[in-house]
Short mmCIF file of all heavy atoms in Angstrom, two decimals:
data_model
loop_
_atom_site.label_atom_id
_atom_site.label_comp_id
_atom_site.label_asym_id
_atom_site.label_seq_id
_atom_site.Cartn_x
_atom_site.Cartn_y
_atom_site.Cartn_z
N GLY A 81 8.45 11.02 -9.04
CA GLY A 81 7.51 10.38 -8.12
C GLY A 81 8.03 10.21 -6.71
O GLY A 81 7.29 9.78 -5.82
N GLY A 82 9.29 10.57 -6.48
CA GLY A 82 9.88 10.35 -5.17
C GLY A 82 9.28 11.20 -4.08
O GLY A 82 9.27 10.81 -2.90
N TYR A 83 8.76 12.37 -4.42
CA TYR A 83 8.20 13.26 -3.41
C TYR A 83 7.03 12.63 -2.67
O TYR A 83 6.95 12.69 -1.44
CB TYR A 83 7.78 14.58 -4.07
CG TYR A 83 6.93 15.45 -3.19
CD1 TYR A 83 7.46 16.03 -2.03
CD2 TYR A 83 5.59 15.71 -3.49
CE1 TYR A 83 6.68 16.84 -1.20
CE2 TYR A 83 4.82 16.51 -2.68
CZ TYR A 83 5.35 17.07 -1.54
OH TYR A 83 4.58 17.85 -0.73
N VAL A 84 6.13 12.00 -3.43
CA VAL A 84 4.94 11.41 -2.78
C VAL A 84 5.18 9.97 -2.35
O VAL A 84 4.51 9.49 -1.43
CB VAL A 84 3.71 11.49 -3.71
CG1 VAL A 84 3.33 12.94 -3.96
CG2 VAL A 84 3.95 10.77 -5.02
N ASN A 85 6.10 9.29 -2.99
CA ASN A 85 6.33 7.87 -2.68
C ASN A 85 7.46 7.72 -1.66
O ASN A 85 8.47 7.07 -1.91
CB ASN A 85 6.66 7.10 -3.96
CG ASN A 85 5.51 7.10 -4.93
OD1 ASN A 85 4.35 6.93 -4.54
ND2 ASN A 85 5.81 7.31 -6.21
N ARG A 86 7.27 8.31 -0.50
CA ARG A 86 8.29 8.27 0.56
C ARG A 86 7.57 8.36 1.90
O ARG A 86 6.48 8.96 1.99
CB ARG A 86 9.28 9.43 0.41
CG ARG A 86 8.60 10.78 0.49
CD ARG A 86 9.48 11.98 0.20
NE ARG A 86 8.66 13.18 0.28
CZ ARG A 86 8.46 13.90 1.37
NH1 ARG A 86 9.07 13.57 2.49
NH2 ARG A 86 7.67 14.95 1.35
N PRO A 87 8.13 7.79 2.93
CA PRO A 87 7.48 7.86 4.26
C PRO A 87 7.25 9.28 4.73
O PRO A 87 6.23 9.59 5.36
CB PRO A 87 8.46 7.12 5.17
CG PRO A 87 9.24 6.24 4.26
CD PRO A 87 9.35 6.97 2.96
N GLY A 88 8.19 10.18 4.42
CA GLY A 88 8.08 11.54 4.90
C GLY A 88 6.90 12.31 4.36
O GLY A 88 6.50 13.33 4.94
N PHE A 89 6.34 11.86 3.24
CA PHE A 89 5.17 12.56 2.70
C PHE A 89 4.03 12.52 3.70
O PHE A 89 3.38 13.54 3.98
CB PHE A 89 4.74 11.90 1.38
CG PHE A 89 3.55 12.57 0.73
CD1 PHE A 89 3.71 13.74 0.01
CD2 PHE A 89 2.28 12.04 0.86
CE1 PHE A 89 2.62 14.37 -0.58
CE2 PHE A 89 1.19 12.65 0.28
CZ PHE A 89 1.36 13.83 -0.45
N TRP A 90 3.78 11.35 4.26
CA TRP A 90 2.69 11.22 5.23
C TRP A 90 3.09 11.76 6.59
O TRP A 90 2.26 12.30 7.33
CB TRP A 90 2.27 9.75 5.31
CG TRP A 90 1.80 9.26 3.99
CD1 TRP A 90 2.42 8.38 3.15
CD2 TRP A 90 0.62 9.68 3.30
NE1 TRP A 90 1.70 8.22 2.00
CE2 TRP A 90 0.58 9.01 2.06
CE3 TRP A 90 -0.43 10.57 3.62
CZ2 TRP A 90 -0.45 9.20 1.15
CZ3 TRP A 90 -1.45 10.76 2.70
CH2 TRP A 90 -1.46 10.07 1.48
N GLN A 91 4.36 11.66 6.93
CA GLN A 91 4.83 12.24 8.18
C GLN A 91 4.67 13.76 8.16
O GLN A 91 4.27 14.38 9.14
CB GLN A 91 6.28 11.84 8.41
CG GLN A 91 6.48 10.35 8.61
CD GLN A 91 7.92 9.90 8.48
OE1 GLN A 91 8.82 10.73 8.29
NE2 GLN A 91 8.16 8.62 8.56
N GLY A 92 5.00 14.37 7.02
CA GLY A 92 4.82 15.81 6.88
C GLY A 92 3.36 16.22 6.95
O GLY A 92 3.02 17.29 7.48
N GLY A 93 2.48 15.36 6.43
CA GLY A 93 1.05 15.66 6.51
C GLY A 93 0.55 15.73 7.94
O GLY A 93 -0.36 16.52 8.26
N ILE A 94 1.14 14.94 8.82
CA ILE A 94 0.75 15.01 10.23
C ILE A 94 1.33 16.26 10.88
O ILE A 94 0.75 16.81 11.82
CB ILE A 94 1.20 13.74 10.99
CG1 ILE A 94 0.67 12.48 10.29
CG2 ILE A 94 0.68 13.78 12.43
CD1 ILE A 94 1.10 11.18 10.94
N GLY A 95 2.46 16.75 10.36
CA GLY A 95 2.99 18.01 10.85
C GLY A 95 2.01 19.15 10.64
O GLY A 95 1.86 20.04 11.50
N VAL A 96 1.29 19.12 9.52
CA VAL A 96 0.24 20.11 9.28
C VAL A 96 -0.87 19.95 10.31
O VAL A 96 -1.40 20.94 10.84
CB VAL A 96 -0.33 19.96 7.85
CG1 VAL A 96 -1.51 20.89 7.64
CG2 VAL A 96 0.76 20.26 6.82
N ALA A 97 -1.22 18.71 10.62
CA ALA A 97 -2.25 18.46 11.63
C ALA A 97 -1.84 19.02 12.99
O ALA A 97 -2.67 19.53 13.75
CB ALA A 97 -2.53 16.96 11.74
N ALA A 98 -0.54 18.94 13.31
CA ALA A 98 -0.05 19.52 14.57
C ALA A 98 -0.26 21.03 14.57
O ALA A 98 -0.57 21.62 15.61
CB ALA A 98 1.42 19.18 14.76
N CYS A 99 -0.10 21.65 13.41
CA CYS A 99 -0.37 23.09 13.32
C CYS A 99 -1.85 23.38 13.51
O CYS A 99 -2.21 24.35 14.18
CB CYS A 99 0.10 23.62 11.96
SG CYS A 99 1.90 23.65 11.76
N TRP A 100 -2.71 22.57 12.93
CA TRP A 100 -4.15 22.76 13.14
C TRP A 100 -4.47 22.66 14.62
O TRP A 100 -5.26 23.47 15.14
CB TRP A 100 -4.95 21.69 12.37
CG TRP A 100 -4.83 21.78 10.89
CD1 TRP A 100 -4.37 22.84 10.15
CD2 TRP A 100 -5.18 20.76 9.94
NE1 TRP A 100 -4.40 22.54 8.82
CE2 TRP A 100 -4.90 21.28 8.66
CE3 TRP A 100 -5.69 19.47 10.06
CZ2 TRP A 100 -5.13 20.53 7.50
CZ3 TRP A 100 -5.91 18.73 8.92
CH2 TRP A 100 -5.64 19.25 7.65
N TYR A 101 -3.89 21.68 15.28
CA TYR A 101 -4.09 21.55 16.73
C TYR A 101 -3.61 22.82 17.45
O TYR A 101 -4.30 23.35 18.33
CB TYR A 101 -3.34 20.33 17.25
CG TYR A 101 -3.21 20.30 18.76
CD1 TYR A 101 -4.22 19.78 19.54
CD2 TYR A 101 -2.08 20.83 19.39
CE1 TYR A 101 -4.12 19.76 20.94
CE2 TYR A 101 -1.97 20.82 20.77
CZ TYR A 101 -2.99 20.29 21.54
OH TYR A 101 -2.89 20.29 22.92
N GLY A 102 -2.44 23.31 17.08
CA GLY A 102 -1.91 24.51 17.72
C GLY A 102 -2.81 25.71 17.52
O GLY A 102 -3.05 26.50 18.44
N GLY A 103 -3.32 25.87 16.29
CA GLY A 103 -4.24 26.97 16.04
C GLY A 103 -5.49 26.86 16.88
O GLY A 103 -6.02 27.87 17.37
N ALA A 104 -5.98 25.64 17.06
CA ALA A 104 -7.18 25.43 17.88
C ALA A 104 -6.93 25.78 19.34
O ALA A 104 -7.80 26.34 20.02
CB ALA A 104 -7.64 23.98 17.75
N THR A 105 -5.73 25.48 19.85
CA THR A 105 -5.44 25.85 21.24
C THR A 105 -5.42 27.37 21.39
O THR A 105 -5.81 27.89 22.44
CB THR A 105 -4.10 25.26 21.72
OG1 THR A 105 -3.03 25.76 20.92
CG2 THR A 105 -4.12 23.74 21.66
#
């Protein structure tokens, strides 16, 4: 359960959002 129960899980999810932003630019 450590993979999802850590701060970095949600931080990594925003990293994907940064890629979506980059693709849009």
